[in-house]
Amino acid sequence: MTSFVTVSELVKENDLKVYGGKELLDDRKVTTSDISRPGIELTGYFDYYPSERIQLFGQTESAYSHSMTANNRYKVMLEICREDTPALLISRNIKPSAELLRAAKEHKVPVIGSELPTTRLSSMVTEFLDQKLAPRESIHGVLVDVYGIGILLTGHSGIGKSETALELVKRGHRLIADDRVDVYQQDEKTIVGEAPKILNHLLEIRGIGIIDMMNLFGAGAVRSESDIQLIINLEDWSPDKNYDRIGTMENKRAIFDVKVPQITVPVKVGRNISIIIEVAAMNFRAKNMGYDATKKFEENLGSLIKENTQNEEGNK
């Protein structure tokens, strides 16, 4: 888990402008994804001022501050700019006042901005900080994008996860991460997976070594991240184990607070695992669209039983 994001990262990755305090960007740290719009603070009320948040000035805040006298505006800006304030953020290309820049300089608070409307800017920055500050976990597995479905392949070392991923890429699908998958919870329903920086676009094949998937197959063969929508656990086939043959066994694996659907696929000589995974992805999508082949089979079975029962009663 990352405990902070520097204002420098925030500026670079969101294409923000710097109005003042450029030399402070690497030192100022953002520790929360919450953003504050200092409306009531502009009136002089600071009893519950969340100074540890980025302070966002939109059109309303800027217009109100410009209605104040220069002296009062400077005093209020001094109160807003505190030791733990990461940055002042201004939307809509609004030019910061001289008093704001002066107060920010005195308290060593960077002043940054964007041309985006206030609501869009707030959403963009919050989403970025949510992603960067979210708790993270590393999972042993391979993450692939199959027909737009993020599938996490799990199983013991040597079961063939990487080889399966290679076959899937050759069939037109995309690799996100091999061996280790860094995951974080984006919201109440979404888990996102990505590769550790050191393993980005790389795949290990025993007997060959490390291969660069982007170099060999092109940019269309990889993705930087993907939602994890389905987990497929690969395990050695055992004649003593009862595997799901109809599709009624609904298992889920909890990752943080999200329960992700999981199926088990037995690995055996002669089984084409990559094709099975493709079908699993298509079947998962069909279920999400409202079509469930298992329910269709149960309905057909029920109709057949009912028909046979009626025939038997008719022959008595």
Side-chain angles (χ1 to χ4, degrees):
M1 175 180 178
T2 303
S3 58
F4 66 86
V5 176
T6 65
V7 176
S8 178
E9 290 179 80
L10 179 65
V11 169
K12 289 177 182 178
E13 298 196 34
N14 293 278
D15 196 26
L16 302 178
K17 302 176 182 180
V18 180
Y19 293 115
K22 188 175 182 179
E23 71 282 0
L24 305 169
L25 300 183
D26 290 327
D27 297 326
R28 283 289 175 169
K29 299 174 181 178
V30 185
T31 58
T32 176
S33 61
D34 294 327
I35 293 178
S36 174
R37 296 186 63 176
I40 194 170
E41 287 81 9
L42 290 173
T43 68
Y45 185 79
F46 284 90
D47 286 4
Y48 298 98
Y49 173 51
S51 58
E52 75 284 355
R53 302 180 186 179
I54 290 176
Q55 304 301 315
L56 174 59
F57 289 79
Q59 198 167 33
T60 303
E61 293 81 9
S62 297
Y64 183 85
S65 68
H66 282 293
S67 70
M68 304 163 64
T69 65
N71 187 51
N72 285 340
R73 182 163 54 245
Y74 174 63
K75 288 181 178 179
V76 168
M77 294 306 171
L78 281 176
E79 284 287 340
I80 288 176
C81 298
R82 298 189 178 179
E83 185 178 351
D84 60 345
T85 304
L88 305 184
L89 177 61
I90 304 173
S91 65
R92 294 182 175 273
N93 273 340
I94 298 172
K95 185 179 179 180
S97 66
E99 294 76 22
L100 183 149
L101 291 174
R102 180 183 166 196
K105 184 177 182 179
E106 288 187 21
H107 285 263
K108 297 183 179 180
V109 177
V111 182
I112 57 180
S114 169
E115 63 184 12
L116 293 176
T118 311
T119 302
R120 285 180 57 194
L121 178 60
S122 177
S123 298
M124 181 184 74
V125 172
T126 299
E127 184 177 339
F128 171 79
L129 294 174
D130 274 339
Q131 175 184 341
K132 291 293 185 179
L133 298 173
R136 291 175 179 264
E137 179 180 316
S138 184
I139 296 178
H140 175 64
V142 176
L143 183 57
V144 288
D145 177 312
V146 181
Y147 298 127
I149 306 297
I151 298 179
L152 177 63
L153 305 178
T154 61
H156 68 73
S157 182
I159 193 68
K161 300 183 294 297
S162 297
E163 290 80 0
T164 300
L166 178 60
E167 176 65 23
L168 287 168
V169 169
K170 289 186 65 178
R171 295 175 67 87
H173 307 293
R174 292 184 285 182
L175 173 75
I176 292 95
D178 176 56
D179 190 50
R180 306 300 305 179
V181 183
D182 287 346
V183 300
Y184 65 90
Q185 184 173 340
Q186 187 177 64
D187 54 42
E188 290 77 9
K189 296 182 179 180
T190 309
I191 294 293
V192 178
E194 60 186 8
K197 288 185 179 180
I198 194 173
L199 300 175
N200 206 21
H201 305 157
L202 301 180
L203 186 75
E204 178 194 355
I205 300 295
R206 285 175 172 81
I208 296 178
I210 304 295
I211 59 177
D212 189 326
M213 299 297 284
M214 187 170 178
N215 183 49
L216 290 182
F217 296 97
V222 296
R223 281 188 65 179
S224 58
E225 64 177 32
S226 172
D227 295 353
I228 298 178
Q229 299 164 276
L230 178 65
I231 299 173
I232 297 181
N233 183 51
L234 304 179
E235 66 173 43
D236 293 316
W237 182 83
S238 171
D240 301 324
K241 187 168 182 178
N242 182 29
Y243 296 103
D244 189 5
R245 302 183 63 179
I246 299 178
T248 55
M249 298 181 184
E250 294 186 356
N251 295 319
K252 293 189 176 183
R253 174 176 172 176
I255 302 178
F256 296 115
D257 298 327
V258 179
K259 293 183 178 179
V260 182
Q262 175 176 285
I263 61 176
T264 296
V265 173
V267 176
K268 185 181 180 182
V269 175
R271 301 196 85 197
N272 192 321
I273 302 302
S274 60
I275 291 180
I276 293 174
I277 290 173
E278 286 182 328
V279 173
M282 290 187 286
N283 190 53
F284 178 81
R285 174 180 286 177
K287 284 185 177 181
N288 285 344
M289 296 175 66
Y291 179 80
D292 191 336
T294 301
K295 291 183 179 179
K296 182 66 176 177
F297 171 76
E298 291 174 346
E299 290 173 1
N300 292 343
L301 180 61
S303 298
L304 180 61
I305 293 173
K306 183 178 179 181
E307 182 181 340
N308 290 339
T309 301
Q310 290 175 346
N311 289 338
E312 289 177 0
E313 290 178 350
N315 292 332
K316 287 181 181 179

